[in-house]
Amino acid sequence: MQRISKVLIANRGEIACRIARTCRRLGLKVATVHSAADRHARHVREIGESVELGGAAPGESYLRIDAIVAAARRVGADAVHPGFGFVSENPAFVRALDAAGIAFIGPTAETMERLGGKAQAKREAAAVGVPVVPGSEGGLADAAAVARTVRGMPLPVLLKAGAGGGGRGMAVVESLDGIDARIESAMREAEKAFGSGEMIVERYLPRVRHVEVQIAGDGHGRAIHLYERECTLQRRHQKVIEEAPSAGLPAPLRERLLADAVKLAAAVNYRGLGTVEFVVAGDEYFFLEVNPRLQVEHTVTEAITDLDLVELQLRIADGGELPLAQVDVRCAGHAFEARLCAEDAEAGFLPTTGRLERVDFSRAAVRVETGVDSGDEISPYYDSMIAKLIAHGSDRDAARRALAAGLRETTVIGLTTNLQFLHDLLHWPQTLDASFHTRLIDERVAAASSARTKPAVAPAEHVAAAALRWLERERAAAPALGCWSEAAGFTGWRLGVGAVAPAPLPSVVLAAGDTEWPVRYAAPAPDGAVELRLGDETTRAALHAPPTLGAGRRLLHLDGRVLEVALAEVPGGIEVVSALGRSVFACTPYLGGALGVQGAGGQLLAPMMGKVVAVKAATGAAVAAGQTVIVLESMKMELHVSAPFDGSVASLRCAVGDMVERHQALAEVIPAAAS
């Protein structure tokens, strides 16, 4: 490096940590920025020098151009790396850095204006002969104009934000019913995410694959590709698992697609790294958009090319030249990446928030990029991604199996995640033979949801582990020789010695989903085993904690079987994670009061922590079953809280702008007959 000596990383989480590692390897000094909510975040701890930008919301911190430029000056940085998201595609940010004499590690402001917006990028692609999807000529800023365009096209059509990506502000319109509300929601989401509510309307291609090409350019008309990535496995238009190279793409189609990506990059004098995205339908492909920045999934390209893409960005920004030619780029083997997120796949991928009691990748023999540690918080203000796991193999199946093994050896306790879903997805038939399309996950999840009659019952091993952990906890909290004491020979509210059957009354009731297990304990045997009566089943089990396992991990001995489990205390209960999956049990002492869950009736409860962004009905207003009453926003996603039946709004307990907790009462609806 000649010109650049210190880099300010204007981002957070795993990407900030990942960029810092390459900078330090190249001998560059680094600093970063943070919001009020991120004062103790891992990227702040790991990088070691950071400037606070403002409040927790991105608009008060990570999107503040003036604050980031001031931070760069304050730490003495001569270059800024934006990572992805936030200001990474904002030409005004690039110009502000140019005016301050600070290098931007990415494309020029002019390139961003030509390619950063989907509408203009589509025009640029069409001008050089790259196939484009039929639809509106450009972006539409007026909701009425969007509605007219939709009504004038054959359905289904796709609405997408003209100023951004990542599935934000995107909606598939298959019916004109409620079209105005859907457009309003998409435009509002786009405005919040990208500062512009402008929408593009296009023909919707329902059975397509999503393939993107990694390109690099010197800013003077010379460009190369670093092969392509398959990003078809998505949910709600957001990528879940990516791979490189694309699976089963015919060689002639691949060559045309790569050539078109390079042609477009050269035509606009592209500088730095970028991604040209396409949809592939049969033997046809269409230009989708350009992301003028580093991608989340850049890691799989690094794996197959053996290149450090952040280093490539830095060298282009520093010297103004491409440090390699097309003939220098080689593709070896295959790579997969999985995005581990704090979300509930069983509940439509609803984001989850809270404290990560334990995060452990020590046994996952794959590359891991993460921005969190055990004890960190997942807040509603930012993306829900916890980590990326990346596996490389000699061929596609070897890489897939390595990633599945890495996921299996990963432990996350404290929050519901998509860990099990990712593992299952890698074994779907459509994943195995690459016969997938972009709507596969959404369609399969919807079908499974409609067919499901009741949630799966927790494994018996998990029930036993939770019962033993609860007993340990109560013993530890009791006075010496009290009824819970191991020395006293606890049997369930009586003292005794010798072999004693389980107590006649339960000591605790464990509950998971719709199932409850009253637990009765016998006296512990000399080897530590306890006879347990779990509901109607009797078993003998013990928990052991060899020091080699580490904190929170135990060996469960159950009727001759040994299973490693990870255990953690969660509010009101115990969480168990093992090779069998994850279970969370509510624990209610049998003599401690009423059991079961109070019926909510017409109370509308917040399904997650978030911010109230809209109240759609006033007190006293009539509402129909399914009608939206409250709109929440959390982790870049809108959630509509609807009336459970026909009736009227008896009370409202929140207002626009309120931050609400999970399960907090938002409103009450009373049935039509009662009103």
Side-chain angles (χ1 to χ4, degrees):
M1 294 292 167
Q2 298 174 355
R3 295 190 307 119
I4 299 175
S5 62
K6 186 169 186 178
V7 177
L8 178 77
I9 302 169
N11 216 292
R12 65 181 301 277
E14 61 87 13
I15 191 58
C17 298
R18 183 263 173 277
I19 293 168
R21 288 198 298 274
T22 292
C23 289
R24 284 173 168 152
R25 181 174 60 78
L26 296 175
L28 302 176
K29 294 178 287 186
V30 289
T32 188
V33 293
H34 64 273
S35 68
D38 276 344
R39 285 172 186 159
H40 306 291
R42 175 169 172 167
H43 78 282
V44 176
R45 302 192 303 264
E46 191 167 301
I47 293 173
E49 182 180 8
S50 188
V51 177
E52 187 164 319
L53 299 174
E60 300 171 2
S61 51
Y62 294 106
L63 293 174
R64 286 187 56 197
I65 293 174
D66 59 336
I68 297 172
V69 174
R73 286 197 178 108
R74 182 174 175 182
V75 301
D78 42 33
V80 172
H81 196 306
F84 44 69
F86 297 132
V87 292
S88 63
E89 300 178 60
N90 190 327
F93 179 56
V94 181
R95 289 200 165 91
L97 290 175
D98 289 343
I102 300 170
F104 176 74
I105 301 170
T108 64
E110 179 187 6
T111 298
M112 284 190 181
E113 289 168 342
R114 294 179 69 178
L115 295 178
K118 290 185 177 69
Q120 180 59 31
K122 187 176 179 180
R123 287 190 285 267
E124 295 282 355
V128 296
V130 178
V132 298
V133 181
S136 60
E137 290 295 320
L140 304 170
D142 178 63
V146 175
R148 284 195 301 272
T149 304
V150 170
R151 290 188 171 95
M153 292 178 63
L155 298 179
V157 299
L158 179 67
L159 305 178
K160 61 183 183 181
R168 303 296 310 281
M170 186 177 286
V172 177
V173 178
E174 298 178 302
S175 166
L176 294 179
D177 293 341
I179 183 62
D180 293 332
R182 297 203 67 189
I183 292 171
E184 174 192 337
S185 179
M187 295 185 76
R188 182 169 60 243
E189 186 179 19
E191 177 70 36
K192 288 177 181 175
F194 311 114
S196 169
E198 185 177 271
M199 304 300 295
I200 294 173
V201 185
E202 288 182 341
R203 167 191 164 194
Y204 179 57
L205 302 168
R207 291 291 186 273
V208 297
R209 293 168 63 171
H210 185 138
V211 178
E212 61 188 29
V213 179
Q214 180 72 67
I215 53 99
D218 64 359
H220 307 292
R222 181 173 169 236
I224 62 173
H225 70 77
L226 307 180
Y227 293 95
E228 82 284 357
R229 298 184 286 256
E230 179 81 59
C231 303
T232 299
L233 289 172
Q234 307 175 5
R235 49 94 174 105
R236 295 200 311 267
H237 308 291
Q238 293 185 324
K239 300 163 189 174
V240 177
I241 288 179
E242 303 99 338
E243 58 183 296
S246 177
L249 202 62
L253 180 61
R254 171 182 281 110
E255 292 305 316
R256 296 201 312 271
L257 189 144
L258 294 175
D260 273 348
V262 172
K263 179 170 63 176
L264 177 58
V268 298
N269 294 321
Y270 196 92
R271 183 188 76 186
L273 289 189
T275 302
V276 184
E277 303 198 356
F278 299 89
V279 290
V280 177
D283 59 356
E284 292 184 292
Y285 64 88
F286 301 95
F287 170 81
L288 187 62
E289 63 179 318
V290 173
N291 282 306
R293 54 172 170 81
L294 196 67
Q295 293 278 92
V296 174
E297 60 274 16
H298 74 277
T299 56
V300 291
T301 296
E302 291 183 324
I304 64 168
T305 62
D306 198 28
L307 295 170
D308 184 327
L309 298 197
V310 174
E311 178 180 352
L312 187 56
Q313 286 184 299
L314 290 164
R315 294 200 181 282
I316 295 171
D318 189 66
E321 296 180 354
L322 278 172
L324 72 169
Q326 188 66 67
V327 294
D328 300 319
V329 183
R330 295 283 186 267
C331 176
H334 205 95
F336 273 89
E337 174 187 274
R339 303 189 189 195
L340 176 60
C341 297
E343 61 185 20
D344 188 350
E346 296 292 323
F349 301 99
L350 195 67
T352 56
T353 57
R355 188 173 186 267
L356 292 164
E357 297 293 337
R358 187 169 300 112
V359 183
D360 186 359
F361 302 104
S362 61
R363 297 186 178 187
V366 295
R367 175 179 170 181
V368 177
E369 298 288 347
T370 184
V372 297
D373 290 312
S374 296
D376 285 348
E377 295 278 337
I378 298 295
S379 80
Y381 299 106
Y382 314 115
D383 190 88
S384 63
M385 192 164 66
I386 294 171
K388 304 182 304 194
L389 284 78
I390 308 97
H392 181 253
S394 58
D395 56 36
R396 184 173 187 265
D397 193 54
R400 183 194 62 81
R401 286 187 285 107
L403 181 58
L407 291 168
R408 195 165 54 245
E409 296 297 336
T410 294
T411 299
V412 181
I413 290 182
L415 288 179
T416 301
T417 72
N418 65 342
L419 183 59
Q420 186 62 47
F421 174 79
L422 293 172
H423 186 271
D424 294 344
L425 178 58
L426 286 171
H427 294 86
W428 284 9
Q430 297 91 338
T431 304
L432 296 177
D433 64 8
S435 61
F436 36 48
H437 54 82
T438 53
R439 294 196 69 188
L440 172 67
I441 293 177
D442 291 336
E443 290 178 356
R444 280 199 51 162
V445 169
S449 178
S450 62
R452 189 181 298 120
T453 56
K454 61 180 180 179
V457 178
E461 293 86 350
H462 287 191
V463 182
L468 291 175
R469 175 63 192 129
W470 185 84
L471 181 58
E472 283 183 346
R473 186 180 68 188
E474 296 303 321
R475 282 175 175 157
L481 301 181
C483 65
W484 294 104
S485 169
E486 195 163 359
F490 166 63
T491 62
W493 304 114
R494 63 178 180 166
L495 304 178
V497 292
V500 181
L505 289 177
S507 296
V508 65
V509 176
L510 304 180
D514 295 332
T515 308
E516 292 184 344
W517 295 266
V519 181
R520 293 187 283 153
Y521 299 94
D527 64 357
V530 177
E531 186 174 330
L532 303 171
R533 183 77 173 174
L534 305 174
D536 297 327
E537 301 295 326
T538 301
T539 189
R540 190 173 188 273
L543 281 178
H544 297 295
T548 55
L549 285 184
R553 291 184 180 274
R554 304 292 185 87
L555 289 181
L556 171 71
H557 292 253
L558 179 71
D559 293 334
R561 181 184 182 186
V562 178
L563 178 70
E564 183 180 325
V565 296
L567 299 162
E569 305 291 330
V570 296
I574 293 170
E575 182 173 346
V576 184
V577 176
S578 76
L580 303 179
R582 172 180 181 267
S583 304
V584 179
F585 297 92
C587 304
T588 306
Y590 187 71
L591 301 181
L595 303 176
V597 180
Q598 181 182 353
Q603 289 192 62
L604 306 188
L605 307 181
M608 61 184 180
M609 179 184 178
K611 182 179 182 180
V612 178
V613 295
V615 177
K616 295 289 190 178
T619 301
V623 290
Q627 179 179 333
T628 298
V629 179
I630 307 290
V631 181
L632 295 180
E633 182 183 58
S634 182
M635 287 185 176
K636 305 180 181 179
M637 187 183 80
E638 278 196 359
L639 183 76
H640 292 236
V641 181
S642 306
F645 39 68
D646 294 344
S648 63
V649 178
S651 65
L652 287 171
R653 303 176 190 177
C654 65
V656 173
D658 287 354
M659 288 296 299
V660 295
E661 299 291 334
R662 185 174 182 229
H663 294 159
Q664 181 175 330
L666 305 177
E668 184 178 5
V669 174
I670 56 176
S675 58

